[in-house]
Amino acid sequence: MPLSPHWRFKLEHWRDSVRRFFKPEPQPRRPQICPACGSLVGTTATRCHICGASLRFSAAAMTKTLSRWLPTQSPTTYAMLSICCLFYGI
């Protein structure tokens, strides 16, 4: 019994999605943004051509990640509270 075009399309779509799940197609590399200065850097670069920061690991990227977790209002209060908790733990 032949399938209708609608069901044939659904079946082919399902097969393609299963095939892509187990064997993903390689995606082309995209340009990167320097975490230190924010300039656009090439796809194969390991250092920023403007500020010279490393694109593999940099303190600027780490501080940006940490700044998402730390509060922006009254950082001194939270720093003092952290120091007190640290001393209490010791």
Side-chain angles (χ1 to χ4, degrees), residues 50-61:
I50 293 180
C51 67
S54 173
L55 297 175
R56 304 242 185 256
F57 173 79
S58 68

Side-chain angles (χ1 to χ4, degrees), residues 1-27:
M1 182 164 126
L3 293 173
S4 68
H6 176 72
W7 284 104
R8 196 173 328 136
F9 171 77
K10 284 189 174 225
L11 182 64
E12 288 175 8
H13 181 70
W14 180 77
R15 283 181 187 161
D16 288 341
S17 63
V18 169
R19 188 176 300 124
R20 276 185 268 124
F21 179 76
F22 288 108
K23 188 178 178 186
E25 297 171 1
Q27 299 292 328

Side-chain angles (χ1 to χ4, degrees), residues 70-82:
L70 297 175
T72 56
Q73 296 177 348
S74 63
T76 307
T77 305
Y78 286 103
M80 295 285 289
L81 182 63
S82 300

Side-chain angles (χ1 to χ4, degrees), residues 26-73:
Q27 299 292 328
R29 292 190 54 145
R30 299 175 63 186
Q32 304 172 6
I33 293 180
C34 175
C37 65
S39 65
L40 193 63
V41 185
T43 59
T44 59
T46 58
R47 292 197 163 279
C48 178
H49 61 279
I50 293 180
C51 67
S54 173
L55 297 175
R56 304 242 185 256
F57 173 79
S58 68
M62 186 175 62
T63 56
K64 281 187 178 182
T65 303
L66 289 176
S67 69
R68 291 184 197 137
W69 293 7
L70 297 175
T72 56
Q73 296 177 348

